[in-house]
């Protein structure tokens, strides 16, 4: 698994659509993929096992957020799937994140997956965060504070927008991972994302992993779009 990589968000409702999409890639090309709520809730744990058996690294993106005991037990089960990365919500408190890490380590059958925490969703604007969530600080201050809490809990990094990646690195150090959705090509539609950046700029802004969904999955040539994202992000 690369230290920097492009993760494709497999935002499909069924196993069939997911495998049909991945079948477009040559046999030796196995991109890092993200399984989110839509696909996991539709197909269950077997879709994770299938993609791992096919040779893909998997980021299981379920954003657990509950009392520490519940999250601990859930993570024990998710660890058994052999995922490479999974996550919780940083808003669940330091105690909850620590419980998640402990459960992941207890359930892992081999290498312990990377565990990261969501700071603020890339669909959340500062105005909505302040008015609807009653968080008075700026997006940047809130993300940085959540990142420090995540680091204190012993996790590997955070999910943040690419706009905050450099700040997270500044506050938490170069080795603290930043996983960034909200990636769009300059000629792509923003969709429901508010805080976005191109792959090329993300590569220069402290992002370790970028998560790209619709600009790849809905492209006329998804394989070419994926390779474009890799080239732009890694500069190779």
């Amino acid at each position: 698994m690369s230290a920097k990589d492009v993760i494709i968000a497999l935002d499909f409702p069924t196993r069939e659509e997911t495998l049909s999409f991945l079948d477009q890639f040559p046999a030796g090309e196995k991109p890092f993929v993200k399984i989110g709520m839509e696909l996991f809730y539709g197909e269950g744990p077997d879709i994770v096992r299938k993609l791992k058996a096919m040779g893909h690294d998997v980021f299981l993106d379920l954003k657990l957020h509950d009392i520490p005991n519940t999250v601990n037990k859930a993570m024990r089960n998710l660890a058994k799937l052999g995922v490479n990365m999974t996550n919780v919500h940083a808003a669940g408190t330091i105690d909850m994140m620590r419980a998640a890490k402990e459960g992941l380590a207890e359930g892992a059958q081999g290498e312990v997956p990377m565990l990261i925490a969501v700071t603020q969703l890339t669909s959340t604007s500062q105005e909505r965060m302040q008015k609807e969530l009653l968080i008075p600080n700026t997006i940047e201050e809130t993300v940085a504070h959540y990142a420090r809490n995540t680091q204190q809990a012993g996790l590997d990094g955070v999910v943040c927008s690419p706009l905050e990646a450099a700040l997270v690195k500044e506050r938490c150090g170069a080795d603290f991972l930043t996983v960034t959705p909200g990636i769009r090509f300059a000629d792509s539609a923003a969709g429901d994302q508010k805080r976005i950046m191109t792959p090329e700029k993300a590569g220069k802004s402290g992002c370790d992993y970028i998560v790209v969904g619709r600009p790849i999955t809905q492209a006329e040539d998804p394989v070419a779009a994926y390779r474009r994202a890799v080239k732009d992000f890694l500069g190779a």
Side-chain angles (χ1 to χ4, degrees):
M1 190 162 51
S2 174
K4 288 174 73 79
D5 210 345
V6 174
I7 303 175
I8 302 176
L10 298 177
D11 295 327
F12 300 107
T14 66
R15 170 191 172 103
E16 289 73 25
E17 289 174 76
T18 301
L19 297 183
S20 177
F21 168 78
L22 292 173
D23 281 345
Q24 297 176 76
F25 288 83
E29 193 168 2
K30 301 292 184 182
F32 198 151
V33 296
K34 179 176 81 73
I35 296 175
M37 295 180 189
E38 179 182 17
L39 183 57
F40 189 81
Y41 293 159
E43 297 293 341
D46 281 346
I47 190 63
V48 179
R49 299 186 183 100
K50 173 64 177 176
L51 297 190
K52 287 294 298 179
M54 289 171 60
H56 294 277
D57 287 334
V58 173
F59 168 23
L60 184 57
D61 177 25
L62 300 181
K63 304 180 181 70
L64 274 65
H65 186 174
D66 211 310
I67 63 172
N69 185 59
T70 297
V71 171
N72 175 278
K73 291 179 178 178
M75 280 296 179
R76 289 186 200 179
N77 283 330
L78 294 184
K80 296 173 185 176
L81 297 176
V83 298
N84 303 87
M85 178 187 292
T86 190
N87 61 0
V88 296
H89 264 291
T93 75
I94 292 172
D95 281 350
M96 187 209 75
M97 290 189 280
R98 283 177 174 155
K101 182 181 179 182
E102 290 167 3
L104 203 60
E106 290 164 3
Q109 300 172 343
E111 187 174 352
V112 179
M114 289 181 282
L115 181 59
I116 57 179
V118 177
T119 53
Q120 286 294 319
L121 300 174
T122 50
S123 59
T124 301
S125 66
Q126 182 166 295
E127 180 183 16
R128 285 186 177 275
M129 185 188 75
Q130 292 174 339
K131 289 187 176 180
E132 297 179 20
L133 304 182
L134 293 181
I135 298 174
N137 303 80
T138 65
I139 281 275
E140 290 79 13
E141 290 168 340
T142 303
V143 168
H145 181 67
Y146 282 10
R148 290 298 301 273
N149 285 350
T150 302
Q151 187 174 46
Q152 187 177 336
L155 275 60
D156 299 295
V158 292
V159 179
C160 61
S161 96
L163 301 179
E164 295 106 36
L167 176 62
V168 169
K169 293 288 188 180
E170 178 186 319
R171 299 290 178 86
C172 299
D175 293 335
F176 193 68
L177 296 178
T178 53
V179 180
T180 57
I183 301 296
R184 294 289 183 267
F185 295 119
D187 52 359
S188 296
D192 55 358
Q193 302 282 18
K194 303 300 182 186
R195 301 180 346 265
I196 62 176
M197 187 178 284
T198 65
E200 183 177 8
K201 289 183 179 179
K204 299 175 181 177
S205 299
C207 302
D208 294 300
Y209 295 90
I210 60 171
V211 180
V212 189
R214 285 164 285 186
I216 293 176
T217 59
Q218 296 183 13
E220 186 174 332
D221 185 341
V223 175
Y226 167 71
R227 291 172 179 167
R228 175 186 176 188
V230 171
K231 181 177 183 295
D232 288 355
F233 179 55
L234 300 180

